[in-house]
Amino acid sequence: MDWNNDGYDDILVGDRNGYINYFERNSDGTLQSGVKLVSNGTPIDVVYSSAPDFADWDNDGDLDMIVGSDPTAPLRIYMNTGTASAYQFSGYVNFVAGGSTPSVRYSMPTIFDMNGDGLFDIVMGASDKKFHYYENTGTLGNPSFAADSPLEYQSGGQMYTESYCSRPEVAHWDEDGLPDIISGAAGSDDYVYYYMALPGVSTEESSSGILAPASLSMNENPVTSNLSISINLGEVSTPVITVYSMDGRVLLTHNAGTLNPGHNTVFIPGTLPNGSYMLHCSAGNRQLTERFAVVR
């Protein structure tokens, strides 16, 4: 984002120590050394794992900030009392939704207009592995938020991640005008998850009918024996795996059968000679592709 309103995109990022770091971009594209954002002349410190996001909260032409953190302390709202080119923070207020102050660990808020009403809403990852949704029921310049309503899959049930520390990012990823979600993870889960919004479903409560995620990875690459493939699913699916040569010829097709939600491992007997290949996995309307090598 252009934090200082000079026409160049800057970088603002939280860190594990609870600070928020500002890297100003120069006209040649390089970045200046990071400095900590301050409030009342003191570096902003939310104790642990700061997670900021930015929007013009009060519609006065400059960016304000919401900050999540690791402890159970409430989300903080820092209002910019300066200008669009020279921020100034003077303390904070707690985020309120549904008349109370949510308090969750590993709060990771993202600001986005989820229901297309022109008002920004809040989507938040948390320690319970859910995506919490706070609808903005206020007005432009005077936001007010409904109580927490965790996002749901179109097929039913609350959306979840495999990690206690997931930061969602909302965007029109496939350019269909619906709010898709990309989310990372922490701990032993190295996947990036894509939750695709579907048309014709209300964005309230069910949040655009977001489809359960899927991810695929080779357990060994290069492959030295059998193909071993990890497939992570959010719903029951019957993946079909196809291996192609690099010139596009189908070398083998494997029906993985019906797999349950969660992590699954599929084994395919190793009959491929040494070389490079493309592996394609189809699960419902999701398509996943990975290149791999066989070395025996």
Side-chain angles (χ1 to χ4, degrees):
M1 73 191 66
D2 184 3
W3 182 245
N4 59 357
N5 202 34
D6 63 355
Y8 304 108
D9 285 335
D10 309 302
I11 294 177
L12 290 103
V13 61
D15 65 30
R16 193 172 183 83
N17 296 318
Y19 300 113
I20 299 163
N21 304 280
Y22 166 45
F23 298 86
E24 181 180 351
R25 189 174 300 277
N26 301 314
S27 60
D28 62 359
T30 60
L31 294 170
Q32 297 184 23
S33 297
V35 297
K36 294 179 176 63
L37 295 190
V38 301
S39 178
N40 286 326
T42 302
I44 293 172
D45 182 2
V46 297
V47 183
Y48 196 67
S49 294
S50 56
D53 203 8
F54 306 86
D56 188 356
W57 201 269
D58 52 3
N59 198 37
D60 66 351
D62 57 48
L63 291 173
D64 309 297
M65 179 170 63
I66 184 172
V67 187
S69 63
D70 171 27
T72 55
L75 280 77
R76 298 179 178 183
I77 307 297
Y78 289 85
M79 302 303 300
N80 185 357
T81 58
T83 67
S85 57
Y87 82 91
Q88 182 175 336
F89 295 128
S90 301
Y92 64 89
V93 297
N94 292 334
F95 174 71
V96 174
S100 63
T101 302
S103 184
V104 295
R105 295 196 66 193
Y106 294 104
S107 54
M108 303 284 177
T110 292
I111 297 172
F112 195 86
D113 181 3
M114 292 293 290
N115 55 6
D117 64 356
L119 304 173
F120 62 80
D121 309 299
I122 304 294
V123 176
M124 185 175 71
S127 60
D128 57 9
K129 302 184 180 181
K130 301 175 184 177
F131 290 116
H132 299 263
Y133 171 46
Y134 303 93
E135 181 186 359
N136 187 348
T137 58
T139 61
L140 193 65
N142 187 27
S144 177
F145 295 90
D148 178 19
S149 177
L151 301 184
E152 297 178 351
Y153 296 123
Q154 184 199 39
S155 56
Q158 292 181 352
M159 286 174 57
Y160 67 91
T161 68
E162 294 295 321
S163 170
Y164 60 86
C165 190
S166 297
R167 178 69 182 266
E169 184 64 34
V170 188
H172 300 304
W173 187 261
D174 53 6
E175 298 184 356
D176 64 356
L178 298 173
D180 309 305
I181 292 179
I182 299 292
S183 178
S188 60
D189 190 338
D190 297 325
Y191 298 119
V192 175
Y193 293 91
Y194 172 39
Y195 302 81
M196 182 180 67
L198 300 178
V201 182
S202 171
T203 56
E204 281 191 50
E205 302 293 326
S206 61
S207 181
S208 305
I210 292 176
L211 188 67
S215 60
L216 172 145
S217 64
M218 307 288 296
N219 290 329
E220 184 185 45
N221 192 359
V223 175
T224 59
S225 56
N226 294 337
L227 292 178
S228 176
I229 303 161
S230 289
I231 302 176
N232 187 72
L233 297 170
E235 60 186 5
V236 174
S237 295
T238 55
V240 175
I241 299 167
T242 306
V243 175
Y244 296 87
S245 66
M246 297 309 294
D247 60 2
R249 291 179 292 113
V250 175
L251 300 180
L252 65 87
T253 300
H254 180 81
N255 190 323
T258 301
L259 302 182
N260 292 321
H263 288 294
N264 298 268
T265 300
V266 176
F267 295 96
I268 302 175
T271 58
L272 296 170
N274 290 353
S276 295
Y277 303 91
M278 293 298 295
L279 182 144
H280 180 266
C281 178
S282 174
N285 65 350
R286 285 145 292 174
Q287 309 294 317
L288 300 156
T289 304
E290 184 161 336
R291 182 174 178 174
F292 69 99
V294 174
V295 179
R296 303 188 193 282

